[in-house]
Amino acid sequence: MSAPLLRVEGLHAFYGQAHILFDLSLEVGRGEVLALTGPNGAGKSTTLKALMGLLQGTQGRVMLDGRDITRLAPYQRARLGLGFVPEDRRIFTELSVLQNLETGRQPPRQGVPNWTVQALLALFPNLAAMPHRPGGRMSGGEQQMLTIARTLMGNPQLLLLDEPSEGVAPVVVEQMARMILDLKQRGLSILLCEQNTHFANMVSDRSCVLDQGRLLV
Ligand code: ADP
Ligand code: MG
């Protein structure tokens, strides 16, 4: 049996003295969409930041594709195929859709979907309709799509998605759900953080609940 794509063991995370995550253990299988749900402040975003290596003083162990990445810097984790879509969409407002996509480009990776601009525009029709629009002149939902598409340009093994449905119009939430199901069908593995349990249930294979920094079973 092969190891799960992501294995997290006994993760603790802190902001300064504040202890935020307590002994989190979870796994994401290959091709699986795991939803991490829970109320505002539960620690969902902190979990993704810790997995990306963005926090200081984190304890526990993180294995990606059988490899211990616990001590690696964020850029090294990105190179190994962790694709992070933070909740504050960090697109370049002065750059066009196509230019934003280019900033995410990484070499092809074995065993995962490898993306081209053309394939991404087919997956995101609303981006295809505005290839030259500056990021700063797009709606919240369009910016969210662009952030996801740009991350896919890095050909991730595992997509870490933080609240993609947050603050976007209902019609865009539906498009977002279809897009995630499409990605799943292509074999992409996703760890999805979502307060919206309806959305999470629609697109995930499995979900677990985080409450005050602890996983409920
Ligand atoms: P969620 O994403 O589930 O809403 P977060 O991971 O953002 O929750 O937050 C978990 C807890 O950590 C909350 O109590 C929040 O106030 C706290 N927190 C988040 N970011 C910071 C920060 N930069 N500094 C200090 N505390 C933070
Ligand atoms: Mg959050």
Side-chain angles (χ1 to χ4, degrees):
M1 275 219 341
S2 64
L5 181 58
L6 178 77
R7 170 175 281 164
V8 180
E9 293 169 5
L11 182 68
H12 291 258
F14 307 81
Y15 292 110
Q17 299 292 310
H19 195 166
I20 305 294
L21 295 182
F22 301 84
D23 198 26
L24 236 74
S25 296
L26 56 84
E27 290 184 0
V28 181
R30 284 160 214 282
E32 185 178 40
V33 179
L34 174 68
L36 190 57
T37 64
N40 196 16
K44 302 181 297 298
S45 298
T46 303
T47 302
L48 296 189
K49 286 184 221 164
L51 294 180
M52 254 344 263
L54 294 166
L55 302 179
Q56 302 296 317
T58 300
Q59 297 167 10
R61 199 152 85 113
V62 183
M63 310 279 294
L64 180 68
D65 203 11
R67 173 174 179 165
D68 192 333
I69 62 165
T70 311
R71 310 242 154 264
L72 298 187
Y75 78 92
Q76 293 171 311
R77 299 184 196 216
R79 270 190 205 156
L80 288 175
L82 272 189
F84 180 36
V85 182
E87 69 190 320
D88 54 342
R89 311 144 188 155
R90 287 183 215 148
I91 53 156
F92 297 99
T93 52
E94 309 291 317
L95 299 186
S96 70
V97 166
L98 292 180
Q99 289 167 331
N100 265 285
L101 289 178
E102 282 305 327
T103 66
R105 191 186 281 280
Q106 279 190 53
R109 197 183 302 282
Q110 261 193 341
V112 301
N114 282 297
W115 294 95
T116 59
V117 169
Q118 209 175 13
L120 283 171
L121 294 182
L123 183 64
F124 296 94
N126 21 12
L127 298 184
M130 53 180 80
H132 304 297
R133 169 104 31 116
R137 295 207 356 249
M138 300 168 71
S139 74
E142 289 158 0
Q143 291 185 347
Q144 183 68 279
M145 296 277 190
L146 180 55
T147 315
I148 296 169
R150 185 183 57 186
T151 304
L152 290 172
M153 282 292 287
N155 303 313
Q157 295 203 63
L158 176 66
L159 193 62
L160 305 174
L161 261 185
D162 201 355
E163 306 255 12
S165 83
E166 195 193 22
V168 302
V171 57
V172 183
V173 173
E174 255 174 60
Q175 292 168 0
M176 203 79 81
R178 273 201 298 276
M179 180 272 298
I180 292 175
L181 289 170
D182 196 333
L183 292 176
K184 180 184 152 43
Q185 210 160 40
R186 296 173 198 228
L188 189 65
S189 313
I190 303 176
L191 176 53
L192 167 74
C193 286
E194 259 301 336
Q195 214 170 301
N196 180 342
T197 49
H198 173 69
F199 179 80
N201 291 337
M202 215 159 32
V203 300
S204 66
D205 298 302
R206 204 158 56 84
S207 66
C208 43
V209 183
L210 195 57
D211 188 36
Q212 298 185 39
R214 290 180 168 85
L215 273 183
L216 306 179
V217 264

